[in-house]
Amino acid sequence: MPDILVPETADLARMVTAAGIFAVPTGEVRLSPDELDPAQILAGSPQVSSAELWSSPDGSQSRGIWEITPGTVIDVEHDEIFVVLSGRATVEVDGGATVELVPGSVCLLAEGTRTTWIVHETLRKVYHCMS
């Protein structure tokens, strides 16, 4: 099956408002490359990509699909909930817990949490983020 293109965020918002619903097979949505700050990369050559499906008018919230290829990166998190669709990673919180992410994992991240992501297999997630 070919990759699915998601309409631009503004067009998608109008479509959802008009129809009341929007659905896509998440594994087939074509994602756009995102910049990863080289200072975040600890090992490997991870690449990130995403498709934003919705954002609030003030830009404080967004929903979408995000993917990262294998490697190790550090990050400072936003207030986020996500569900892992595919892939596998270990996330270590500075001074705290370590979690294993696999397909079906639901994860909550707290604003400002410093993390290290060790991505074993390309990980794709669907998320809702607040900043």
Side-chain angles (χ1 to χ4, degrees):
M1 188 176 275
D3 286 346
I4 294 172
L5 297 173
V6 175
E8 294 295 323
T9 304
D11 295 330
L12 183 56
R14 283 191 291 276
M15 290 169 61
V16 171
T17 299
I21 190 170
F22 176 82
V24 294
T26 57
E28 298 167 15
V29 171
R30 184 181 304 167
L31 306 179
S32 299
D34 292 327
E35 288 292 319
L36 186 60
D37 181 350
Q40 290 181 266
I41 300 172
L42 298 182
S45 300
Q47 303 291 312
V48 294
S49 54
S50 66
E52 186 175 86
L53 301 177
W54 174 86
S55 64
S56 61
D58 66 0
S60 66
Q61 298 182 59
S62 65
R63 297 176 187 152
I65 302 167
W66 181 86
E67 185 173 274
I68 185 168
T69 62
T72 303
V73 298
I74 57 173
D75 201 9
V76 178
E77 304 298 342
H78 294 285
D79 182 358
E80 179 179 348
I81 184 171
F82 66 84
V83 177
V84 175
L85 303 170
S86 60
R88 194 171 58 84
T90 303
V91 179
E92 300 172 348
V93 174
D94 286 1
T98 296
V99 296
E100 298 295 327
L101 299 176
V102 297
S105 295
V106 176
C107 185
L108 298 170
L109 294 168
E111 179 82 29
T113 299
R114 296 184 180 279
T115 56
T116 300
W117 288 68
I118 304 159
V119 182
H120 310 290
E121 299 169 6
T122 298
L123 185 132
R124 184 175 280 217
K125 67 181 185 178
V126 62
Y127 69 87
H128 177 93
C129 183
M130 300 186 337
S131 57

